[in-house]
Amino acid sequence: MQQQTTLTEDQIEEIAERAAERAMRKLTDHMYKQVGKSVVGKLFWIVGVISVGAYMWLKQKGVI
């Protein structure tokens, strides 16, 4: 047989606050990860464009 536990209003409030803080932390972490992926993707794109440009320039100059 299970014993029922009654929570006080303060305990319920504390549980709700902890749950809200945890949810916000997860949401914020997820957002930062997505922003980081976007920044890294754009950085790789820029590096690629610069590399192709440098290759073409060096080839035109006869270095390569």
PDB file of all heavy atoms in Angstrom, residues 4-17:
ATOM      1  N   GLN A   4       0.458   8.386   0.808  1.00  0.00           N
ATOM      2  CA  GLN A   4       0.391   9.661   0.107  1.00  0.00           C
ATOM      3  C   GLN A   4       1.081  10.747   0.903  1.00  0.00           C
ATOM      4  O   GLN A   4       0.949  10.819   2.117  1.00  0.00           O
ATOM      5  CB  GLN A   4      -1.055  10.078  -0.134  1.00  0.00           C
ATOM      6  CG  GLN A   4      -1.621   9.523  -1.410  1.00  0.00           C
ATOM      7  CD  GLN A   4      -2.943  10.157  -1.717  1.00  0.00           C
ATOM      8  OE1 GLN A   4      -3.836  10.129  -0.880  1.00  0.00           O
ATOM      9  NE2 GLN A   4      -3.063  10.707  -2.904  1.00  0.00           N
ATOM     10  N   THR A   5       1.836  11.574   0.184  1.00  0.00           N
ATOM     11  CA  THR A   5       2.517  12.688   0.816  1.00  0.00           C
ATOM     12  C   THR A   5       1.867  13.973   0.335  1.00  0.00           C
ATOM     13  O   THR A   5       1.663  14.169  -0.859  1.00  0.00           O
ATOM     14  CB  THR A   5       4.007  12.698   0.429  1.00  0.00           C
ATOM     15  OG1 THR A   5       4.579  11.441   0.789  1.00  0.00           O
ATOM     16  CG2 THR A   5       4.750  13.802   1.118  1.00  0.00           C
ATOM     17  N   THR A   6       1.551  14.828   1.252  1.00  0.00           N
ATOM     18  CA  THR A   6       0.949  16.111   0.907  1.00  0.00           C
ATOM     19  C   THR A   6       2.034  17.173   0.912  1.00  0.00           C
ATOM     20  O   THR A   6       2.815  17.285   1.852  1.00  0.00           O
ATOM     21  CB  THR A   6      -0.147  16.499   1.932  1.00  0.00           C
ATOM     22  OG1 THR A   6      -1.098  15.434   1.998  1.00  0.00           O
ATOM     23  CG2 THR A   6      -0.827  17.776   1.542  1.00  0.00           C
ATOM     24  N   LEU A   7       2.091  17.946  -0.174  1.00  0.00           N
ATOM     25  CA  LEU A   7       3.082  19.006  -0.289  1.00  0.00           C
ATOM     26  C   LEU A   7       2.467  20.336   0.139  1.00  0.00           C
ATOM     27  O   LEU A   7       1.312  20.614  -0.146  1.00  0.00           O
ATOM     28  CB  LEU A   7       3.572  19.126  -1.735  1.00  0.00           C
ATOM     29  CG  LEU A   7       4.248  17.896  -2.329  1.00  0.00           C
ATOM     30  CD1 LEU A   7       4.527  18.115  -3.805  1.00  0.00           C
ATOM     31  CD2 LEU A   7       5.529  17.596  -1.591  1.00  0.00           C
ATOM     32  N   THR A   8       3.291  21.126   0.774  1.00  0.00           N
ATOM     33  CA  THR A   8       2.833  22.463   1.150  1.00  0.00           C
ATOM     34  C   THR A   8       2.940  23.376  -0.072  1.00  0.00           C
ATOM     35  O   THR A   8       3.596  23.049  -1.064  1.00  0.00           O
ATOM     36  CB  THR A   8       3.693  23.048   2.288  1.00  0.00           C
ATOM     37  OG1 THR A   8       5.024  23.249   1.784  1.00  0.00           O
ATOM     38  CG2 THR A   8       3.721  22.126   3.491  1.00  0.00           C
ATOM     39  N   GLU A   9       2.306  24.525   0.002  1.00  0.00           N
ATOM     40  CA  GLU A   9       2.375  25.506  -1.081  1.00  0.00           C
ATOM     41  C   GLU A   9       3.819  25.920  -1.344  1.00  0.00           C
ATOM     42  O   GLU A   9       4.232  26.101  -2.492  1.00  0.00           O
ATOM     43  CB  GLU A   9       1.526  26.736  -0.748  1.00  0.00           C
ATOM     44  CG  GLU A   9       0.026  26.509  -0.853  1.00  0.00           C
ATOM     45  CD  GLU A   9      -0.418  26.230  -2.280  1.00  0.00           C
ATOM     46  OE1 GLU A   9       0.084  26.884  -3.218  1.00  0.00           O
ATOM     47  OE2 GLU A   9      -1.275  25.339  -2.449  1.00  0.00           O
ATOM     48  N   ASP A  10       4.596  26.095  -0.275  1.00  0.00           N
ATOM     49  CA  ASP A  10       6.000  26.482  -0.424  1.00  0.00           C
ATOM     50  C   ASP A  10       6.799  25.408  -1.166  1.00  0.00           C
ATOM     51  O   ASP A  10       7.642  25.720  -2.008  1.00  0.00           O
ATOM     52  CB  ASP A  10       6.636  26.754   0.940  1.00  0.00           C
ATOM     53  CG  ASP A  10       6.125  28.037   1.576  1.00  0.00           C
ATOM     54  OD1 ASP A  10       5.601  28.909   0.835  1.00  0.00           O
ATOM     55  OD2 ASP A  10       6.258  28.175   2.807  1.00  0.00           O
ATOM     56  N   GLN A  11       6.536  24.150  -0.857  1.00  0.00           N
ATOM     57  CA  GLN A  11       7.228  23.055  -1.529  1.00  0.00           C
ATOM     58  C   GLN A  11       6.848  22.992  -3.008  1.00  0.00           C
ATOM     59  O   GLN A  11       7.709  22.793  -3.866  1.00  0.00           O
ATOM     60  CB  GLN A  11       6.908  21.722  -0.847  1.00  0.00           C
ATOM     61  CG  GLN A  11       7.536  21.576   0.523  1.00  0.00           C
ATOM     62  CD  GLN A  11       7.031  20.347   1.256  1.00  0.00           C
ATOM     63  OE1 GLN A  11       5.858  19.980   1.151  1.00  0.00           O
ATOM     64  NE2 GLN A  11       7.934  19.713   2.003  1.00  0.00           N
ATOM     65  N   ILE A  12       5.571  23.178  -3.288  1.00  0.00           N
ATOM     66  CA  ILE A  12       5.101  23.180  -4.678  1.00  0.00           C
ATOM     67  C   ILE A  12       5.747  24.341  -5.439  1.00  0.00           C
ATOM     68  O   ILE A  12       6.215  24.177  -6.566  1.00  0.00           O
ATOM     69  CB  ILE A  12       3.559  23.272  -4.738  1.00  0.00           C
ATOM     70  CG1 ILE A  12       2.941  21.990  -4.163  1.00  0.00           C
ATOM     71  CG2 ILE A  12       3.085  23.511  -6.170  1.00  0.00           C
ATOM     72  CD1 ILE A  12       1.445  22.056  -3.957  1.00  0.00           C
ATOM     73  N   GLU A  13       5.797  25.497  -4.807  1.00  0.00           N
ATOM     74  CA  GLU A  13       6.420  26.668  -5.422  1.00  0.00           C
ATOM     75  C   GLU A  13       7.909  26.416  -5.706  1.00  0.00           C
ATOM     76  O   GLU A  13       8.407  26.752  -6.774  1.00  0.00           O
ATOM     77  CB  GLU A  13       6.249  27.885  -4.515  1.00  0.00           C
ATOM     78  CG  GLU A  13       6.791  29.177  -5.084  1.00  0.00           C
ATOM     79  CD  GLU A  13       5.980  29.702  -6.248  1.00  0.00           C
ATOM     80  OE1 GLU A  13       4.782  29.387  -6.342  1.00  0.00           O
ATOM     81  OE2 GLU A  13       6.567  30.424  -7.068  1.00  0.00           O
ATOM     82  N   GLU A  14       8.596  25.812  -4.765  1.00  0.00           N
ATOM     83  CA  GLU A  14      10.026  25.507  -4.928  1.00  0.00           C
ATOM     84  C   GLU A  14      10.238  24.529  -6.089  1.00  0.00           C
ATOM     85  O   GLU A  14      11.145  24.711  -6.915  1.00  0.00           O
ATOM     86  CB  GLU A  14      10.600  24.920  -3.635  1.00  0.00           C
ATOM     87  CG  GLU A  14      12.065  24.548  -3.707  1.00  0.00           C
ATOM     88  CD  GLU A  14      13.003  25.730  -3.876  1.00  0.00           C
ATOM     89  OE1 GLU A  14      12.630  26.858  -3.477  1.00  0.00           O
ATOM     90  OE2 GLU A  14      14.101  25.534  -4.423  1.00  0.00           O
ATOM     91  N   ILE A  15       9.401  23.510  -6.187  1.00  0.00           N
ATOM     92  CA  ILE A  15       9.500  22.533  -7.275  1.00  0.00           C
ATOM     93  C   ILE A  15       9.255  23.225  -8.614  1.00  0.00           C
ATOM     94  O   ILE A  15       9.975  23.007  -9.585  1.00  0.00           O
ATOM     95  CB  ILE A  15       8.505  21.369  -7.056  1.00  0.00           C
ATOM     96  CG1 ILE A  15       8.935  20.531  -5.849  1.00  0.00           C
ATOM     97  CG2 ILE A  15       8.393  20.509  -8.308  1.00  0.00           C
ATOM     98  CD1 ILE A  15       7.894  19.542  -5.382  1.00  0.00           C
ATOM     99  N   ALA A  16       8.245  24.085  -8.669  1.00  0.00           N
ATOM    100  CA  ALA A  16       7.915  24.800  -9.904  1.00  0.00           C
ATOM    101  C   ALA A  16       9.063  25.724 -10.320  1.00  0.00           C
ATOM    102  O   ALA A  16       9.405  25.804 -11.507  1.00  0.00           O
ATOM    103  CB  ALA A  16       6.629  25.591  -9.726  1.00  0.00           C
ATOM    104  N   GLU A  17       9.664  26.404  -9.362  1.00  0.00           N
ATOM    105  CA  GLU A  17      10.788  27.296  -9.673  1.00  0.00           C
ATOM    106  C   GLU A  17      11.982  26.510 -10.206  1.00  0.00           C
ATOM    107  O   GLU A  17      12.621  26.924 -11.174  1.00  0.00           O
ATOM    108  CB  GLU A  17      11.199  28.086  -8.429  1.00  0.00           C
ATOM    109  CG  GLU A  17      10.251  29.220  -8.098  1.00  0.00           C
ATOM    110  CD  GLU A  17      10.665  30.001  -6.856  1.00  0.00           C
ATOM    111  OE1 GLU A  17      11.857  29.916  -6.462  1.00  0.00           O
ATOM    112  OE2 GLU A  17       9.811  30.687  -6.297  1.00  0.00           O
TER     113      GLU A  17
END
